Amino acid sequence: MVSIPERQTSKAAGWSRRTAAFSAVLLLTDFVGHRFDLVETPVFLWVLGIVALLAALALLFAALAFSRLWKFGDRGGRDLTVGALLALLVLAPYGVAAYWATIYPPLRDISTDFDDPPALDVSDRTKDMNVLVPSTPGEQRLQTDSYPLVTARSYDLPFETIVNAVETVLDRRGWDLSEPYPDLAGQSDVTITAVAKGFVLGLPSDVAIRVTDDGDTVIVDMRSASRYGRYDLGDNAARVTDFLAELDQEVAGQVGAAPAE
């Protein structure tokens, strides 16, 4: 009588499910903790790297389990399926970020004024943050070609009116101001600085809005620079264009006038 060997349960399948589940929980915990300022950004980024490695390891375990299942008929098909699907779900945002990195220019500091960009507040910057350096001619051309809407605003209106409109838009956006709004008495040039967070990952960027009265018009320049990350994936340009577009609407709503330029 021929004995049929008992089917074994694949250990790799179980490890695939457990590793993928742990990576998913870790990703959710890291994301929520960073959103509520319970996890600092450098730690958040390191944990994101660990999550990616765990998800990739879960896929490797799933591949080993599938090989055993195919060759020797081991049990564990459900575990390897759950592990593989969870790992792919965890890795999906990384794939989206990689795709964005191919379509957005490699920039992390966006300004409407290349020659004299608005000054950012650097009082709470640390060594692990991106170094603020002047943009190169190549980066300036890249910004101009990629983000043609990132341009300064010029208004034929009183200086105080424009500053008040800027403050109104800032209040709506809820960015963390570096210091209270400036006193406008006797002023013709003010710069308001703040820290804004990205919509998806909540990565912080330093922001500066400069309002200047040159005697004929009032000019608004803006700058946004990522504190972390080699590239901003379009975040800073979107922040500048959205803010200035909202400022146009605020000014038009207050005085019924559009920007001169």
Side-chain angles (χ1 to χ4, degrees):
M1 183 175 180
V2 179
S3 61
I4 301 176
E6 184 180 355
R7 295 175 61 193
Q8 297 182 359
T9 300
S10 173
K11 294 182 179 180
W15 277 108
S16 174
R17 177 181 56 81
R18 287 190 289 269
T19 305
F22 179 68
S23 69
V25 173
L26 184 60
L27 177 63
L28 181 61
T29 303
D30 189 39
F31 180 79
V32 173
H34 186 252
R35 271 292 179 179
F36 288 93
D37 296 325
L38 301 176
V39 177
E40 295 183 353
T41 301
V43 177
F44 169 71
L45 295 175
W46 274 108
V47 174
L48 285 183
I50 294 173
V51 167
L53 290 176
L54 288 173
L57 185 61
L59 283 179
L60 178 60
F61 281 135
L64 292 175
F66 180 79
S67 176
R68 293 282 307 179
L69 184 148
W70 183 263
K71 292 180 180 179
F72 306 107
D74 286 1
R75 293 188 178 94
R78 179 178 299 178
D79 283 346
L80 77 86
T81 301
V82 172
L85 290 177
L86 272 178
L88 290 173
L89 183 63
V90 169
L91 290 173
Y94 296 86
V96 173
Y99 171 71
W100 284 350
T102 64
I103 63 175
Y104 286 108
L107 299 171
R108 63 189 184 195
D109 190 344
I110 300 296
S111 176
T112 59
D113 188 344
F114 295 135
D115 297 328
D116 183 22
L120 300 171
D121 179 66
V122 297
S123 59
D124 61 344
R125 294 183 68 89
T126 58
K127 294 181 180 179
D128 58 348
M129 297 180 184
N130 292 330
V131 179
L132 295 175
V133 295
S135 60
T136 64
E139 290 173 336
Q140 295 174 9
R141 288 193 299 270
L142 188 58
Q143 176 187 313
T144 302
D145 294 339
S146 303
Y147 306 121
L149 297 181
V150 177
T151 56
R153 295 298 194 271
S154 179
Y155 300 94
D156 295 323
L157 295 167
F159 176 75
E160 293 78 4
T161 300
I162 303 305
V163 175
N164 291 334
V166 168
E167 294 175 356
T168 299
V169 177
L170 281 170
D171 290 339
R172 281 203 296 262
R173 290 184 169 256
W175 296 344
D176 296 328
L177 296 177
S178 303
E179 56 187 16
Y181 291 133
D183 183 6
L184 301 182
Q187 298 291 330
S188 61
D189 187 326
V190 298
T191 299
I192 303 173
T193 57
V195 177
K197 291 186 175 182
F199 178 73
V200 179
L201 295 180
L203 296 179
S205 294
D206 287 302
V207 177
I209 301 105
R210 183 178 63 205
V211 185
T212 305
D213 187 352
D214 66 357
D216 297 323
T217 59
V218 176
I219 301 172
V220 179
D221 281 295
M222 185 172 177
R223 181 182 181 186
S224 181
S226 300
R227 287 188 168 186
Y228 301 93
R230 189 174 181 183
Y231 307 138
D232 65 7
L233 304 181
D235 180 66
N236 290 304
R239 179 176 296 110
V240 172
T241 54
D242 291 346
F243 183 92
L244 294 178
E246 188 174 348
L247 178 62
D248 289 340
Q249 295 177 356
E250 179 64 26
V251 171
Q254 287 188 7
V255 299
E261 183 178 350

